[in-house]
Amino acid sequence: MKTLLSEEELEAGVARMASEIAASYRERPLTIVGVLTGSIVLLADLIRQLDMSLRVGVLQASSYRSGTTRGELTINSEMMLDVAGRDILVVDDIFDTGHTLVEVVAKLNELAPTSVKTAVLLRKHGRQEVDFRPDFVAFDIPDEFVVGYGLDYADQYRHLRDLVVLEPDDLASDK
Ligand code: IMP
Ligand code: MG
């Protein structure tokens, strides 16, 4: 495994994104909605960089898939806060094809929020299939499969402190 972003680089990138978010909302209270499960580490770090009034909720977006291929997306919002009349910031790990974030934003928009913006740790180069841009992006990365800092392969590796590239050999050994 090769390190793409070290723990220190991740910390600096998240701090930079937090400043942009704080500047964008100024004094307006914010409702952050983390997309489970990939956003958990980013969520924990990002909210502690935000010195402002905020609430934190989560929803789960999962696709029936194993490994690196995507399947149909289901969204479970049972654990989420009320969002009507609120400024919402959706936080996710990675903007890849973009389908997940587009569907999550569409679902939230049905609930009559005041605004919905999106923040992602990573945007993968050349992969997007949707006409949508996240409002805040901490890092643009090349088209490689990465794990760590919340991101998984087959539910493994989320706890790694660095963001690392999974090599084809690692992908093949599906433990
Ligand atoms: P989407 O293709 O933008 O809908 O991304 C869907 C989800 O795929 C993301 O939230 C991640 O959970 C997962 N994903 C996409 N690329 C990677 C990657 O390189 N490593 C780990 N998970 C990924
Ligand atoms: Mg995932």
Side-chain angles (χ1 to χ4, degrees):
M1 291 191 199
K2 157 185 107 193
T3 298
L4 187 64
L5 294 168
S6 69
E7 190 177 357
E8 293 73 24
E9 289 168 319
L10 288 163
E11 188 183 349
V14 171
R16 209 183 316 122
M17 184 163 73
S19 318
E20 290 170 19
I21 291 167
S24 160
Y25 288 94
R26 308 241 174 80
E27 301 301 302
R28 272 148 63 207
L30 183 58
T31 296
I32 291 192
V33 175
V35 181
L36 297 178
T37 304
S39 75
I40 54 172
V41 180
L42 170 63
L43 192 60
D45 284 348
L46 179 67
I47 61 177
R48 288 178 295 169
Q49 295 278 353
L50 289 171
D51 181 17
M52 59 193 289
S53 162
L54 64 83
R55 306 185 306 155
V56 183
V58 290
L59 59 71
Q60 185 164 33
S62 43
S63 46
Y64 299 105
R65 62 139 145 222
S66 61
T68 54
T69 52
R70 68 182 291 279
E72 195 184 323
L73 186 83
T74 54
I75 296 172
N76 179 344
S77 54
E78 272 166 30
M79 295 169 289
M80 213 177 52
L81 302 173
D82 59 300
V83 299
R86 307 276 188 168
D87 289 305
I88 309 300
L89 179 68
V90 181
V91 173
D92 204 359
D93 54 357
I94 185 165
F95 195 64
D96 183 26
T97 66
H99 291 289
T100 303
L101 215 50
V102 163
E103 290 186 43
V104 167
V105 167
K107 168 116 183 169
L108 289 170
N109 271 324
E110 289 170 12
L111 306 173
T114 298
S115 68
V116 180
K117 288 190 179 188
T118 54
V120 295
L121 180 72
L122 309 168
R123 175 169 52 199
K124 217 188 265 190
H125 183 75
R127 292 272 303 164
Q128 284 74 52
E129 297 173 358
V130 294
D131 183 17
F132 181 92
R133 295 174 68 87
D135 299 282
F136 306 98
V137 177
F139 298 98
D140 280 292
I141 63 165
D143 182 9
E144 293 188 283
F145 196 82
V146 291
V147 296
Y149 200 77
L151 290 96
D152 74 306
Y153 169 65
D155 294 313
Q156 296 200 62
Y157 308 118
R158 292 194 199 276
H159 61 296
L160 302 182
R161 289 171 174 268
D162 296 337
L163 187 81
V164 303
V165 175
L166 265 201
E167 314 285 356
D169 283 357
D170 306 317
L171 290 171
S173 64
D174 199 1
K175 341 175 187 54

